[in-house]
Amino acid sequence: MTPSLAPPRLLTHLRHPLTLAAGAGILAAGVGALLVVAAGADPATAWTALDEGMFGSAYSVGSSLDSAAVLALIATGFTVAHRAGLVNVGGEGQLCAGGLAAAATGLALPAAVPAAIGVPLTLLAGFLAGAAWAAIAALLRTRRGTSEVITTLLLNFVGVGAVSLAVHEEGLLRQPVTSSETLPQSEALPAGARLPLIAGPESPATAVVVVAALALVITAVVLRYAPAGLKLKSVGHSPAASARLGLPVARLRESGLAVAGGLAGIAGAGLVATAPYVLAEHFSSGYGFSGLVVGLLARGSLLAVAAVSLLFGFLTSGGINLQLAAGVPASSVQIVQSVLVLLIAAAMLWSTRRTGSGS
């Protein structure tokens, strides 16, 4: 009987998430190697450049941690909304709203404002703006039945456009135009509204890393142990059954999506309050969409959110050095990330179908 059980056991091991992730990682790395060869670079040189870009200095590590923190905040928010049965694809727009509010708040503060007041106010403004931006989609979902996927997606373009308008109009946030070379961006935030460094002057790592870590831990505890987290889980599993139990389904869903938007808003505020401390067009750099990918890959696990955010954050920094030191386009890293996402998604689909078919 033991031989007859071997194939099912083998399939069970192959369907394990760690096995699927490892296989996808190996294949994605193979694609990366092919891209390096196609670019005419030496694989050993490219690997050294990638490694130095990720871990070669305090600056590269700090930059990677900052990127990972922004992704983690957005993906944590995505997980909260997903727990309530909603899909938040509006991280980019919510991030833009948070950055816009943070810049407006920071520039309105006195030049001598202490950091103990300026930094919390700037981050709070980002949270409230992101939450309000997401609340638009939440209300349309609960009051009118409009898909939050569509509304949050469309609100991304509105958020990006609002930032562009704000930094191009002198009556809004654009810095005073002194010549034709004046960049369309805001003035620099006062020192008291800037996120402090946490690892010394050699590293650009800021307090956004601490904020993201706290957000992850607090969210994990709330979702797992607090009544609010259990209610969100119930609503996500069955809104109808939750309503019969007397739970305020609409309010819980609205709160879940608003919190998701608020965390993305903090990410936007963190980007503005980090060097060069200005709001500029395209300041978001696509973090909203990358955070969405992290949230999708994490599949509801906040531990996975932390791991995948770190992976993507370090790969982003490594990709920049890959282009500078080895002549390989930095977009190669984005291609590898995309291939990794597609492979994991395909593996998850295969695993689900095999499990459902009873194989």
Side-chain angles (χ1 to χ4, degrees):
M1 294 183 65
T2 303
S4 64
L5 292 176
R9 286 180 178 176
L10 178 60
L11 287 175
T12 300
H13 290 310
L14 289 176
R15 288 197 295 263
H16 193 279
L18 291 178
T19 305
L20 296 176
I26 292 172
L27 291 175
V31 172
L34 291 176
L35 291 172
V36 169
V37 173
D42 176 53
T45 302
W47 171 255
T48 300
L50 183 66
D51 180 65
E52 289 181 352
M54 293 190 295
F55 310 108
S57 66
Y59 182 89
S60 59
V61 172
S63 179
S64 300
L65 289 175
D66 273 351
S67 297
V70 172
L71 294 174
L73 283 167
I74 298 168
T76 300
F78 175 88
T79 303
V80 173
H82 185 263
R83 190 63 60 94
L86 302 174
V87 180
N88 177 36
V89 299
E92 186 79 2
Q94 295 149 14
L95 182 148
C96 287
L100 187 59
T105 301
L107 293 173
L109 294 173
V113 62
I117 296 176
V119 171
L121 284 178
T122 301
L123 295 179
L124 178 61
F127 178 86
L128 294 177
W133 203 255
I136 298 173
L139 291 172
L140 288 172
R141 176 69 174 87
T142 58
R143 308 297 171 86
R144 297 295 180 183
T146 308
S147 171
E148 78 282 356
V149 176
I150 296 174
T151 51
T152 53
L153 177 63
L154 294 178
L155 283 169
N156 285 331
F157 301 101
V158 181
V160 172
V163 170
S164 179
L165 177 65
V167 299
H168 278 88
E169 292 294 330
E170 290 187 62
L172 297 175
L173 292 179
R174 180 169 183 168
Q175 62 182 333
V177 179
T178 57
S179 71
S180 60
E181 298 180 357
T182 302
L183 295 175
Q185 62 186 32
S186 71
E187 293 186 89
L189 268 62
R194 301 175 183 180
L195 289 174
L197 299 176
I198 60 172
E202 299 83 10
S203 171
T206 67
V208 73
V209 177
V210 178
V211 172
L214 288 174
L216 266 169
V217 172
I218 293 172
T219 302
V221 172
V222 170
L223 292 182
R224 188 172 183 85
Y225 300 108
L230 299 177
K231 291 177 182 178
L232 282 177
K233 184 176 181 180
S234 174
V235 169
H237 277 303
S238 177
S242 299
R244 286 195 292 270
L245 291 173
L247 295 179
V249 175
R251 190 166 73 244
L252 285 168
R253 284 188 152 184
E254 291 164 2
S255 300
L257 194 52
V259 169
L263 290 174
I266 291 179
L271 289 175
V272 171
T274 302
Y277 311 110
V278 298
L279 177 70
E281 198 170 14
H282 308 305
F283 83 103
S284 64
S285 302
Y287 274 114
F289 297 110
S290 298
L292 167 64
V293 172
V294 172
L296 289 170
L297 290 178
R299 300 176 63 186
S301 168
L302 289 171
L303 183 61
V305 165
V308 179
S309 296
L310 286 171
L311 173 63
F312 276 35
F314 276 87
L315 282 176
T316 298
S317 295
I320 296 174
N321 195 62
L322 190 65
Q323 180 169 344
L324 295 175
V328 179
S331 57
S332 300
V333 172
Q334 296 177 345
I335 294 174
V336 171
Q337 290 176 347
S338 300
V339 170
L340 180 62
V341 171
L342 291 174
L343 288 172
I344 290 179
M348 288 164 51
L349 181 62
W350 171 79
S351 175
T352 302
R353 287 186 172 179
R354 297 288 296 183
T355 302
S357 64
S359 300

